[in-house]
Amino acid sequence: MTVSALPHGELIRLLYIDDDRGLSRLVEKELGRHGYAVTCAPDGDAGLGTLVARPGDFDVVALDHYMPGREGLDVLPEIIALPNPPPVVYVTGAQEGRIAVAALRAGAADYVIKDVSEDFTALLRNALEEAVSRRRLQRENDEAQEQVRIARDRAEAMLREVNHRVGNSLQLVSSFMSLQLRHLVDEGARAALKESQARIEAVAHVHRRLYTSGDMSSVAMDEYLEGLIGELSQSLCPDKDGCSIHLQAAPMRVSTDQAVSLGVVVTELVTNAVKYAYEPGIPGQIRVSLGQDANGRAILTVEDDGPGMGDGSVKGTGLGGKIISAMASGLRSAVEFDKAHKGVRAHLAFDL
């Protein structure tokens, strides 16, 4: 016999539904000696009525199979359908396994074969206590899961708020830079400040995306790039007759760290293309694409149709190249340039 998992001396409230009055009195007497408060009902309808009239008053139900009027299998589904019903142990005098199987399928927690031997009350008590113990464990598990859900929702709300505040702070820094740009006359200083502003915007865009997303752990890169390219087009290519930036991105989710690195890399490569690919006033196209290769690796490509890199070195102060290398290193990768391409074509392959 299995040892009960219930605390010693705990009162168990039992509703025993059986038309056999003699057996009902025996159950009431025997189980009463073991800390049970037993209420008896003479048939299924009476037992169901007691459960409806006294919700929450019983820890477990023992339901007999053969009863006048309706059998236990007719009443069992109605008990299970009650709000927060107690577990039901099915009691039958028949040795037919089909009845026990039918009861378990209908929602019974366990079943006991009824006989006149002294073992019946002991077997019944064991089954009742096991049913109560399982129900208690289930409730404790449900409560624990609910606490986990509440904690998770609270953490996600806090993280969303952090992303909101970080995004706003970065936007404020970008606004300060815009104000500073208005007072600068040195073109070199203006260009450097504008590039720094674009880098800050790339990071801020990730946090804005996280704030409005239901997923705090990853970013829809295709949607993120669409917004980023839109901002770069407005800031770097305001003249519609000049350069144009085109995006082709497959649906893809990346981690937040990957999104930040990729956003900065795209910003640097596009900015470099805008500065050096085409002569002032001459229209040109810059293309950004994101997809996957046959091995499942993500491939980011930024290309233009300008004169190319000449001697193979990156033009400018070299700061952009250092930033690109650092960001690519964070992705465990490196930017490679296609020398066979007429203009500049940069590839970055990374694992999702």
Side-chain angles (χ1 to χ4, degrees), residues 229 237 243-247 269-275 277-278 284-288 302-305:
I229 294 301
C237 305
C243 69
S244 59
I245 309 173
H246 298 266
L247 172 67
L269 291 173
V270 169
T271 301
N272 207 54
V274 170
K275 290 170 62 177
Y278 306 106
Q285 190 180 90
I286 300 168
R287 295 176 294 277
V288 180
V302 179
E303 62 180 17
D304 61 62
D305 298 318

Side-chain angles (χ1 to χ4, degrees), residues 183-323:
H183 299 281
L184 289 176
V185 294
D186 183 271
E187 287 301 321
R190 288 177 59 84
L193 197 58
K194 200 167 186 178
E195 290 177 13
S196 297
Q197 186 180 27
R199 293 164 186 146
I200 291 173
E201 282 290 340
V203 178
H205 199 71
V206 172
H207 289 281
R208 288 197 294 271
R209 176 67 58 182
L210 289 172
Y211 173 66
T212 57
S213 171
D215 186 355
M216 295 288 101
S217 62
S218 63
V219 175
M221 199 61 198
D222 52 321
E223 298 176 4
Y224 165 64
L225 284 178
E226 184 178 354
L228 180 62
I229 294 301
E231 292 181 359
L232 291 174
S233 296
Q234 292 179 6
S235 62
L236 301 178
C237 305
D239 185 359
K240 293 183 180 180
D241 296 329
C243 69
S244 59
I245 309 173
H246 298 266
L247 172 67
Q248 184 176 0
M252 188 181 304
R253 297 198 73 87
V254 302
S255 69
T256 55
D257 290 340
Q258 286 179 319
V260 170
S261 297
L262 290 169
V264 173
V265 168
V266 169
T267 299
E268 294 298 324
L269 291 173
V270 169
T271 301
N272 207 54
V274 170
K275 290 170 62 177
Y276 302 111
Y278 306 106
E279 295 293 332
I282 299 177
Q285 190 180 90
I286 300 168
R287 295 176 294 277
V288 180
S289 65
L290 179 67
Q292 287 182 264
D293 63 12
N295 297 320
R297 297 194 83 199
I299 306 294
L300 173 69
T301 302
V302 179
E303 62 180 17
D304 61 62
D305 298 318
M309 299 176 65
D311 59 0
S313 61
V314 179
K315 296 181 176 64
T317 62
L319 176 60
K322 293 178 181 178
I323 292 176

Side-chain angles (χ1 to χ4, degrees), residues 108-164:
D110 203 346
Y111 73 93
V112 176
I113 301 298
K114 180 169 62 173
D115 57 34
V116 295
S117 69
E118 295 180 357
D119 290 338
F120 169 64
T121 55
L123 292 172
L124 177 61
R125 180 164 59 89
N126 182 73
L128 294 171
E129 292 176 1
E130 287 293 327
V132 172
S133 178
R134 286 196 300 270
R135 176 58 60 86
R136 172 172 298 166
L137 289 174
Q138 181 62 47
R139 286 176 176 169
E140 290 175 353
N141 180 68
D142 291 343
E143 291 174 0
Q145 292 292 335
E146 179 65 13
Q147 292 300 318
V148 170
R149 185 194 64 79
I150 293 173
R152 184 193 63 227
D153 291 347
R154 185 183 297 116
E156 288 183 353
M158 292 176 64
L159 184 56
R160 188 174 285 109
E161 180 63 21
V162 167
N163 282 311
H164 180 53

